[in-house]
Amino acid sequence: MKRFWREVQVAKLDDGRVTVALDGKPIRTPARRVLSLPNRALGEAIAEEWSAQRDEVVPATMPLTRLVSTAIDRVSEARASVVAEIAGYGDCDLLCYRASSPPELVARQAEVWQPLLDWAQLRFEGALRVTNGLGPLSQPPASLAAIRAAVGDYDAWMLTGLHVATTVTGSVIVGLALAEGHLDADAAWAAGQLDETFQIERWGEDAEATIRRAAQRSEIADAARLMALARA
């Protein structure tokens, strides 16, 4: 698609929310809904993405636009199922499945992952059990309910970012820590990639893994930015 607009503006909607307008016309989502945003900070960030486009529009350079469109078109419309999907990671959270060897990996998992589980227990009263191995692990129903309640408290903007962070890292605890500002994007990515990073340090990294890890890092950074702007 070629750039067809001259001016990008952040405009107020009748309901008090804001939108981004191209030559005075509000941007619409793929489902043709007006891009209705919770605050000016998020509007200005999205306006910057559109202003930065040159002759050809490159969607890959507009991650916030994509994420807010997802929030409006999909997350808002299927809120209950999104909450259930995110909270469901509590049953199989990455942080709960530890290695039994080598000792260096065991120690690193304990050093990085256990403080996050301890934080979640204090923050949400959601203590999760840990196992050494890949066998099924039964978690306390009360803890899973507490995690689900915490996830359910978020609005569509936060849920969209939390969904990305949780699915990319394999951990709702890491996702919640990012959403709550307990971790930054780099630390969240590192926690989710701990096992793979350990293997790369030992055996090296191939080109495909380098590309995939960079993409996942960008996804988490974009999700973190969305959540930070939504709270602004």
Side-chain angles (χ1 to χ4, degrees), residues 68-199:
V68 298
S69 294
T70 298
I72 294 168
D73 285 348
R74 298 174 59 188
V75 177
S76 295
E77 295 296 308
R79 177 185 174 80
S81 63
V82 173
V83 169
E85 182 182 351
I86 296 170
Y89 276 77
D91 274 319
C92 54
D93 199 282
L94 171 73
L95 309 190
C96 298
Y97 291 85
R98 309 288 179 84
S100 55
S101 65
E104 297 87 354
L105 178 58
V106 172
R108 189 178 299 186
Q109 288 176 342
E111 179 183 1
V112 176
W113 290 353
Q114 191 58 47
L116 291 171
L117 291 177
D118 294 342
W119 168 82
Q121 181 176 358
L122 291 173
R123 178 66 179 83
F124 306 112
E125 298 183 359
L128 295 180
R129 299 182 179 121
V130 172
T131 186
N132 297 102
L134 298 176
L137 177 63
S138 177
Q139 296 292 356
S143 296
L144 296 177
I147 290 171
R148 185 186 180 97
V151 173
D153 281 342
Y154 289 123
D155 61 20
W157 317 104
M158 295 294 292
L159 280 175
T160 301
L162 178 59
H163 184 271
V164 171
T166 299
T167 55
V168 169
T169 64
S171 170
V172 66
I173 301 303
V174 171
L176 286 168
L178 181 64
E180 295 283 311
H182 183 71
L183 289 179
D184 63 18
D186 287 341
W189 178 83
Q193 289 287 313
L194 188 150
D195 286 350
E196 188 167 349
T197 299
F198 181 83
Q199 295 303 323

Side-chain angles (χ1 to χ4, degrees), residues 14-94:
D14 292 340
D15 62 2
R17 290 194 168 199
V18 301
T19 190
V20 177
L22 307 178
D23 295 335
K25 295 181 180 180
I27 292 172
R28 292 184 178 271
T29 68
R32 304 305 299 159
R33 295 182 174 94
V34 170
L35 204 73
S36 177
L37 306 168
N39 58 51
R40 191 171 187 86
L42 185 53
E44 289 175 348
I46 291 173
E48 287 177 6
E49 290 185 342
W50 287 81
S51 294
Q53 301 305 304
R54 297 302 177 233
D55 292 340
E56 293 288 336
V57 177
V58 183
T61 62
M62 297 190 287
L64 287 176
T65 300
R66 175 179 52 81
L67 286 170
V68 298
S69 294
T70 298
I72 294 168
D73 285 348
R74 298 174 59 188
V75 177
S76 295
E77 295 296 308
R79 177 185 174 80
S81 63
V82 173
V83 169
E85 182 182 351
I86 296 170
Y89 276 77
D91 274 319
C92 54
D93 199 282
L94 171 73

